[in-house]
Amino acid sequence: MGILDGKVALITGAAGGIGRATSKLFIKEGAKGAVMADIWDEMGERTAEELGPNAVYIHTDVSQEADIKKAIDFAIEKFGQLDIVFSNAGNPGPGGTIEDITAEEFDETIAIHLRAAFLCMKYSVPIMKKQGSGCFITTSSVAGFQQGMGSLPYSLSKTGIIQLTRIAAVEFGIFGIRANAIAPGGIATGIFGQGYGLSRESAEKWGELMKQILAWGQPIRRTGLPEDIANAALFLASDSSSFITGETLLVDGGLLAGRIPQDPEENMEIYYKMVNSLDPDDQKIIMNKLQENIAKSMEQLKYMKPEIRKRILKGIQRMDKRRQECLNLLK
Ligand SMILES: NC(=O)c1ccc[n+]([C@@H]2O[C@H](COP(=O)([O-])OP(=O)(O)OC[C@H]3O[C@@H](n4cnc5c(N)ncnc54)[C@H](O)[C@@H]3O)[C@@H](O)[C@H]2O)c1
């Protein structure tokens, strides 16, 4: 007997790291249906096929209201019920500061993360009300709690998702419907490479390489894996969590519990080894992005108070020197 016997789940972002691992686990745990929604058709279709007839893929751009509605209707047509909705699709959002981010980038990121989670609820809740049961899971992030862990619209979305989930828990509780969020820490997936503008395949490879750095970023010294989040989603989808609603479960290896000592120079060395193991074209993409960031930091220096500028310049120069040493070592 599986934990999710007879249940039907809709999972957005199901082709990527966390959504893919969750789809696999839900099927393994007996789900009658896993509707895998994403825009990465090739990976989504391939994974659904591997998982057998209980998993189906549907192209769904979660920034489009009509696509979300279509995916929910599809779940009902195909399986006749909808018990779990995991709003998980996401991207890294734009880089840069408040000054740099355009209004379009802001709106797009909020649409993919926050508005999509709201729309998934809006169109599924009438079905769940009729069933007398249901469960929403949303993907927030440590970036929803703390600045510096994602771009501005990304972090805002992730904070918004925490509050959306609380509001949903309060509104839906009387209908037997629960809503909880998961806030992952650093999880080795393709999302980091996409932030550099790498192709899907290269971003997946970069996600694998990230395991080296992510293993040392938090009190639990191992890499966070998509399966860690899938396990949390399984718990929140199961009857074992039937008295839990409105909660945001941090799955971050203790990242937000407190600061841990880091050796930035050692991290840099590992980082350049990672870059070195990519194809030359991908190396160029990453190095150009880094160069761009350094140039931006240097540009900012001239607006800083002299005593601050001096200190920050020293730091940038030290890191740049180390960067050059690493690069020479690797050539
Ligand atoms: N990996 C991490 O460290 C981390 C940390 C905190 C939160 N998260 C969140 O976890 C979720 C899953 O990310 P992941 O790490 O598995 O990354 P991923 O890139 O491996 O997977 C994300 C998936 O979302 C899909 N997607 C992107 N835009 C979409 C759209 N408009 N419509 C439908 N699908 C779309 C992508 O195609 C991809 O398959 C995201 O919401 C992300 O913000 C990830």
Side-chain angles (χ1 to χ4, degrees), residues 150-224:
S151 72
L152 164 82
Y154 181 88
S155 297
L156 281 178
S157 299
K158 296 305 191 184
T159 306
I161 283 172
I162 294 169
Q163 186 65 352
L164 168 72
T165 307
R166 286 199 197 111
I167 293 168
V170 174
E171 278 192 22
F172 304 159
I174 43 169
F175 306 113
I177 300 164
R178 296 184 297 116
N180 291 292
I182 300 172
I187 306 295
T189 70
I191 202 164
F192 298 97
Q194 286 167 48
Y196 286 119
L198 295 178
S199 69
R200 285 281 190 190
E201 291 66 29
S202 301
E204 287 278 299
K205 189 173 172 195
W206 185 253
E208 277 299 306
L209 292 168
M210 282 293 291
K211 287 182 178 173
Q212 300 168 58
I213 283 194
L214 291 174
W216 294 92
Q218 59 280 309
I220 294 184
R221 304 302 208 269
R222 74 154 172 87
T223 309

Side-chain angles (χ1 to χ4, degrees), residues 142 146 149 184-186 217-220 252-260 262:
V142 285
Q146 219 175 74
M149 294 187 163
Q218 59 280 309
I220 294 184
D252 69 345
L255 182 63
L256 290 193
R259 207 164 153 229
I260 61 161
Q262 290 271 354

Side-chain angles (χ1 to χ4, degrees), residues 193-305:
Q194 286 167 48
Y196 286 119
L198 295 178
S199 69
R200 285 281 190 190
E201 291 66 29
S202 301
E204 287 278 299
K205 189 173 172 195
W206 185 253
E208 277 299 306
L209 292 168
M210 282 293 291
K211 287 182 178 173
Q212 300 168 58
I213 283 194
L214 291 174
W216 294 92
Q218 59 280 309
I220 294 184
R221 304 302 208 269
R222 74 154 172 87
T223 309
L225 298 173
E227 289 73 19
D228 292 310
I229 308 304
N231 282 324
L234 177 65
F235 168 67
L236 291 174
S238 74
D239 292 340
S240 304
S241 62
S242 61
F243 200 55
I244 300 178
T245 196
E247 182 59 55
T248 298
L249 182 59
L250 274 168
V251 185
D252 69 345
L255 182 63
L256 290 193
R259 207 164 153 229
I260 61 161
Q262 290 271 354
D263 179 346
E265 297 209 352
E266 193 191 350
N267 277 351
M268 187 173 276
E269 201 165 317
I270 298 172
Y271 186 83
Y272 284 108
K273 277 191 189 143
M274 286 162 56
V275 175
N276 206 39
S277 65
L278 292 176
D279 296 338
D281 284 351
D282 290 333
Q283 287 184 20
K284 223 180 273 167
I285 292 175
I286 293 193
M287 293 316 291
N288 286 346
K289 192 84 188 171
L290 290 180
Q291 207 55 50
E292 211 179 275
N293 290 343
I294 290 176
K296 232 186 235 166
S297 306
M298 295 298 270
E299 169 71 15
Q300 296 293 331
L301 282 175
K302 64 179 177 226
Y303 303 110
M304 290 176 194
K305 290 199 163 68

